[in-house]
Amino acid sequence: MLNDYWPLAQLTLSTKHLELRVPNDDELSVLAQVAASGVHEPGEHPFLTPWTDLPPRERALHVLQQHWSRRGMWCAEDWALEMGVFRGDQPVGMVTLKARNFSVLREVKTESWLGLEFHRQGIGTEARTALLSLAFEGLGAVAALTEVFQDNVGSQGVSRKLGYLHDGISRDVLAGRAVVSDRLRLDVSDWVPTDPAYLVVTGLAKALPFFDA
């Protein structure tokens, strides 16, 4: 019955090493525990919203509540698709594809976090590639945008590897100080389509109306 009303629950992206899927509540709880165990080295501040500075239990609760909130607030004009990232049966983190006024702008943004123990293993690049394939090849996006702190070497590296180009900067306030992010942009004309042998998308046809695609 849930699948009839909420087909996003069946949307899955399967890559060579990973599976990205919309988590059920049991899976979400396990992903939240990954976040509680840490998503970056002490002293780092990779996110403008400093949720990773919270104590472990509150950090996990943030993951739960944000997912429920985004699911509850979903509409075709303003959506955020949060997917759990799994390597086999092992939960490793979450990625998000989001957009506003997608039917007009055809632009998406991405977010992600991985458990600290899963950094520097190529997981972030493989997961982002799957998301971008969904955006460009499944939903008809014309551009993908992201904003990354200039000292966030890992995320900067993933973006550059995938072909994002510099598109200006933005300045914000974090913990009472000014921080600078690079705005990065990847146009569909620069996107290299993913080999179907390395990505299988299931459940998209029924979910398309939810994206206004």
Side-chain angles (χ1 to χ4, degrees), residues 46-68:
F47 304 110
L48 187 58
T49 301
W51 65 276
T52 57
D53 292 340
L54 297 169
R57 186 175 181 83
E58 293 178 33
R59 197 182 309 145
L61 183 59
H62 170 87
V63 171
L64 297 174
Q65 290 183 306
Q66 176 171 267
H67 183 77
W68 291 331

Side-chain angles (χ1 to χ4, degrees), residues 11 24 30 56 157 207:
L11 182 59
N24 59 36
V30 179

Side-chain angles (χ1 to χ4, degrees), residues 98-142:
K98 61 182 184 177
R100 290 186 177 181
N101 299 310
F102 182 73
S103 63
V104 178
L105 298 176
R106 314 304 290 186
E107 294 180 342
V108 297
K109 293 184 177 181
T110 59
E111 301 172 351
S112 66
W113 61 264
L114 296 175
L116 180 58
E117 64 183 294
F118 306 110
H119 288 203
R120 300 180 181 87
Q121 299 175 32
I123 295 173
T125 300
E126 189 167 336
R128 178 107 66 98
T129 299
L131 271 191
L132 293 174
S133 296
L134 173 64
F136 289 132
E137 300 163 37
L139 302 179
V142 300

